[in-house]
Amino acid sequence: MEVVRLSNLSGYSIRNHYQKAVNISSQLYEKAESGDQILLDLSRMDWTTPAFVTPVTVAYNQIVDQGAEINVRLPSEYGRQCYLDQIGFPEGYQEPPNQYENHLPLCLIDNDGGVEIIETVVNGLTRLVKEWFASRSGGNPQTVHYPISEVVKNIGHHSNCDYGAVLIQHYRARDYLDICIVDDGISIPGNFEAHNIEFHSDSNAIKRAMRGEESTKIDRGSRDPGCGLKTTSKLVCEGLDGQVLMASRNGVCHQQNGSIDGWSVSQHSWNGTVFIARLNPPDDGFQILEYIAS
Amino acid sequence: MNDRLKVDGISINTRRRVEQLVEEAQREGHSTIDLSEVEFMSRSVADEFVHHKIESDIQLCGLQEPIRDLIDAVEASKKVVPN
């Protein structure tokens, strides 16, 4: 039996959790080639976030559907085991249950998902955001709902994926919300190439997409110019003091505190696109219209 | 045409849903869509409503303040003067 062992996963860094996810996923793909059973050992997982479990779920489903057998050794701690079970890890749900107060479980996306998956995810987001803001002393829930719904509505639009997943998690004690959307589709650089848009590296392509410098969106002519990613990134990172991390093919970009840090990865690339955001609630006096109207 | 079509649910999530609502309103002879229950919509949904206000002569009523602000912002960005 081949073993893929998570050495350690703790803390709250979306960057660190994503890097661990792509590392584990790469090992799963590599071990699957041997044809032996695989043990995915998560016993040393202290904590997890959507940035880790969502990419691993997509990799798991791809590999299992190709005929490999993957057994999962869950974390030792009972609470972690229950959480992974609730969110549906590692298989995910075609129709996620709507019963949990602070997360929308792993919701699978495929090429046939279309409008139904968007409705499922946005309705789940709506429920979580309403519950979040109901427990706070104020604030406009639209400030959090808007940027995420802008990104979610594009699920499947660019990607043409075979496998994908979404997970939304509200951390009540920490007062923020994480979302991760993963697909194995065409990728941002691949999409730029298909539309003859030049770029000098995959991370450069991602950065330009996040800044709204290029859009490959063709939707009802000029009525939807495809600035959803730019608006979301700006609103989340500048308006809500949050973070966005995007990975696609050989590039990764992490936006925080008004700047975008981009780098290339050769060993642990992602064949598709990963979008991760961490949203804080708005400060008093925050005006969402400044971002929507631009 | 008179009366209104009241939308159930607190969010409208896709352009396609807006199309369905407009088709339903026209089929049933309503000139107005009542969005008083709606608390969340995306920019593209607001854009679709603005489009139909012009093309289909559909009016909107009962807008909650964040929704009205969003639709007004989308209209302003298109430099459209509503009827």
Side-chain angles (χ1 to χ4, degrees):
Chain A
M1 180 179 288
E2 301 277 5
V3 180
V4 174
R5 182 170 287 116
L6 176 66
S7 57
N8 169 258
L9 187 66
S10 60
Y12 310 99
S13 161
I14 61 174
R15 193 158 159 167
N16 181 44
H17 281 227
Y18 169 69
Q19 287 175 332
K20 294 273 186 179
V22 76
N23 188 322
I24 288 291
S25 300
S26 296
Q27 291 183 58
L28 287 173
Y29 293 125
E30 188 185 311
K31 301 290 186 193
E33 289 176 8
S34 71
D36 291 341
Q37 281 187 11
I38 301 170
L39 173 65
L40 173 58
D41 184 354
L42 302 180
S43 58
R44 297 178 192 176
M45 175 190 285
D46 291 329
W47 186 250
T48 191
T49 66
F52 177 81
V53 292
T54 319
V56 175
T57 289
V58 172
Y60 173 94
N61 281 298
Q62 285 176 324
I63 294 167
V64 166
D65 282 359
Q66 286 166 9
E69 184 177 339
I70 303 177
N71 299 303
V72 180
R73 179 178 290 155
L74 293 174
S76 313
E77 200 264 330
Y78 180 68
R80 295 280 78 76
Q81 292 176 20
C82 289
Y83 175 72
L84 292 177
D85 181 63
Q86 278 185 11
I87 64 171
F89 180 82
E91 295 93 350
Y93 292 101
Q94 293 286 353
E95 294 178 12
N98 208 22
Q99 64 201 70
Y100 299 113
E101 285 185 353
N102 46 11
H103 59 256
L104 175 71
L106 280 159
C107 191
L108 298 178
I109 308 163
D110 58 34
N111 209 12
D112 298 327
V115 170
E116 291 76 23
I117 193 68
I118 295 172
E119 291 283 346
T120 298
V121 174
V122 178
N123 286 338
L125 170 70
T126 300
R127 176 177 58 81
L128 289 176
V129 168
K130 276 191 69 76
E131 287 170 358
W132 181 12
F133 279 75
S135 67
R136 306 188 82 250
S137 57
N140 176 7
Q142 178 82 337
T143 57
V144 171
H145 189 280
Y146 177 87
I148 297 304
S149 62
E150 285 293 317
V151 175
V152 169
K153 74 177 170 67
N154 287 328
I155 286 174
H157 200 103
H158 298 280
S159 168
N160 202 29
C161 69
D162 293 319
Y163 294 87
V166 182
L167 175 63
I168 306 176
Q169 176 68 49
H170 169 219
Y171 294 96
R172 194 173 291 172
R174 296 190 152 262
D175 203 23
Y176 58 63
L177 181 144
D178 281 4
I179 179 169
C180 183
I181 306 172
V182 178
D183 68 59
D184 70 345
I186 188 174
S187 81
I188 292 173
N191 214 352
F192 275 27
E193 286 165 352
H195 289 82
N196 297 315
I197 298 171
E198 292 185 2
F199 54 96
H200 63 72
S201 67
D202 287 2
S203 61
N204 174 251
I206 298 168
K207 194 179 285 192
R208 291 174 67 189
M210 291 172 77
R211 286 179 173 157
E213 292 173 11
E214 298 289 349
S215 172
T216 60
K217 196 157 185 189
I218 301 171
D219 186 13
R220 299 172 182 274
S222 62
R223 284 184 38 226
D224 198 343
C227 58
L229 182 55
K230 174 191 170 189
T231 304
T232 291
S233 298
K234 196 172 159 78
L235 200 162
V236 170
C237 298
E238 295 178 22
L240 300 179
D241 195 26
Q243 305 175 49
V244 169
L245 184 148
M246 289 200 71
S248 197
R249 212 162 68 176
N250 296 319
V252 185
C253 286
H254 182 209
Q255 184 173 358
Q256 188 177 16
N257 297 328
S259 64
I260 302 179
D261 183 19
W263 63 96
S264 295
V265 291
S266 53
Q267 195 175 2
H268 298 307
S269 59
W270 184 267
N271 290 324
T273 301
V274 178
F275 171 88
I276 306 166
R278 175 163 291 166
L279 292 84
N280 295 306
D283 291 333
D284 291 340
F286 174 77
Q287 294 295 328
I288 189 175
L289 289 180
E290 292 177 13
Y291 297 87
I292 295 173
S294 60
Chain B
M1 280 186 164
N2 53 17
D3 213 352
R4 58 188 64 177
L5 172 68
K6 189 170 167 102
V7 176
D8 292 326
I10 63 172
S11 71
I12 300 175
N13 305 329
T14 61
R15 288 183 183 270
R16 181 65 194 131
R17 181 68 184 126
V18 177
E19 285 179 1
Q20 291 171 342
L21 289 170
V22 171
E23 285 167 6
E24 184 181 348
Q26 291 175 327
R27 193 170 56 242
E28 296 180 5
H30 303 299
S31 58
T32 303
I33 296 176
D34 184 344
L35 298 178
S36 54
E37 298 286 320
V38 177
E39 299 176 37
F40 301 101
M41 69 171 61
S42 67
R43 183 190 176 95
S44 63
V45 167
D47 180 80
E48 194 70 18
F49 273 120
V50 169
H51 169 73
H52 283 288
K53 278 177 70 177
I54 303 166
E55 298 293 324
S56 312
D57 200 24
I58 287 289
Q59 299 303 310
L60 305 175
C61 74
L63 303 181
Q64 297 191 26
E65 186 176 342
I67 301 299
R68 185 180 64 244
D69 288 346
L70 175 60
I71 290 179
D72 286 348
V74 170
E75 277 185 318
S77 71
K78 298 166 82 69
K79 295 185 170 50
V80 170
V81 178
N83 292 325

